[in-house]
């Protein structure tokens, strides 16, 4: 593909195989060496390898491979392990994701004070139809206001924010 600039469908036509066969074969070539060795030596089948290839994290992929070898697991077992490892990988990615919300008392306090500050025209706190959301992460801080009601009912709150920000 790289050397001659061919697509998978062009390769499939030239070698007389289906596009799916070519795609699967190319995916198998991108496996870690340990899995390729297991595939070549017959320790695992192509079905096992395809199932394990679905795991994004190579470390987890090799861990699942070792479990399959230890248990002499079936392709179904490899698919089940792949699903579990993918879920585990996604949980770890969420934990290390810099977009994860930073929770703090200070942020909650700011959100509450902004909400209270938008009480206008003798409106009671309970009748305040304003939603204030303040979300802070490692990469961004997001502040959103939602005023429920008609334009005439929400105009005072909008003007209050506009004046506070622009002055």
């Amino acid at each position: 593909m790289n050397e001659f600039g061919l697509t998978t469908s062009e390769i499939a036509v030239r070698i007389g195989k289906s596009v799916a066969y070519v795609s699967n074969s190319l995916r198998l070539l991108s496996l870690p060496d340990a899995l390729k060795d297991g595939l070549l030596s017959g320790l695992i089948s192509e079905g096992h390898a395809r199932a394990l290839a679905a795991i994004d994290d190579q470390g987890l992929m090799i861990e699942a491979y070792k479990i399959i070898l230890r248990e002499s697991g079936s392709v179904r077992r490899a698919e089940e392990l792949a699903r579990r490892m993918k879920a585990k990988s996604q949980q770890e990615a969420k934990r290390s994701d810099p977009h994860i919300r930073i929770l703090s008392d200070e942020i909650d306090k700011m959100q509450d004070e902004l909400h209270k500050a938008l009480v206008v025209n003798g409106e009671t706190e309970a009748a305040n139809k304003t939603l204030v959301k303040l979300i802070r992460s490692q990469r961004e801080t997001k502040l959103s206001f939602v005023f429920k009601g008609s334009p005439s009912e929400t105009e005072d709150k909008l003007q209050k924010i506009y004046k506070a920000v622009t002055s």
Side-chain angles (χ1 to χ4, degrees):
M1 283 182 81
N2 297 336
E3 191 173 334
F4 298 105
L6 298 173
T7 64
T8 51
S9 53
E10 291 170 334
I11 292 171
V13 168
R14 287 188 181 196
I15 65 170
K17 298 285 184 178
S18 70
V19 175
Y21 175 86
V22 173
S23 295
N24 283 330
S25 296
L26 290 170
R27 267 192 26 230
L28 294 177
L29 288 173
S30 67
L31 290 172
D33 290 339
L35 271 79
K36 284 193 272 191
D37 290 343
L39 189 57
L40 288 171
S41 65
L43 292 173
I44 60 170
S45 69
E46 282 188 29
H48 289 99
R50 271 196 298 275
L52 297 176
I55 303 170
D56 300 327
D57 183 324
Q58 286 202 349
L60 291 175
M61 191 185 300
I62 291 171
E63 190 179 319
Y65 170 67
K66 288 176 182 175
I67 292 170
I68 292 298
L69 290 179
R70 198 171 39 244
E71 297 176 354
S72 299
S74 66
V75 173
R76 298 291 163 257
R77 174 70 174 135
E79 290 168 348
E80 177 198 336
L81 269 173
R83 274 191 296 277
R84 255 201 250 141
M85 294 294 189
K86 278 176 76 170
K88 185 177 177 181
S89 171
Q90 288 169 351
Q91 285 175 348
E92 287 172 8
K94 281 182 186 175
R95 271 190 237 124
S96 64
D97 187 354
H99 282 81
I100 292 177
R101 185 175 166 193
I102 297 172
L103 300 173
S104 76
D105 294 334
E106 185 180 343
I107 299 292
D108 291 342
K109 184 180 175 193
M110 290 167 104
Q111 185 173 301
D112 291 341
E113 287 175 3
L114 285 165
H115 186 263
K116 288 175 187 168
L118 289 169
V119 175
V120 292
N121 296 339
E123 177 182 58
T124 64
E125 182 96 26
N128 188 354
K129 295 182 198 167
T130 302
L131 281 154
V132 178
K133 276 262 196 237
L134 179 56
I135 299 171
R136 177 167 262 177
S137 72
Q138 296 293 337
R139 291 197 181 156
E140 64 184 19
T141 299
K142 190 178 348 179
L143 175 61
S144 68
F145 299 95
V146 177
F147 305 127
K148 295 190 179 189
S150 67
S152 60
E153 292 172 329
T154 59
E155 183 65 27
D156 289 341
K157 292 177 185 181
L158 181 60
Q159 289 301 322
K160 197 173 188 178
I161 289 175
Y162 175 76
K163 287 174 186 168
V165 171
T166 57
S167 61

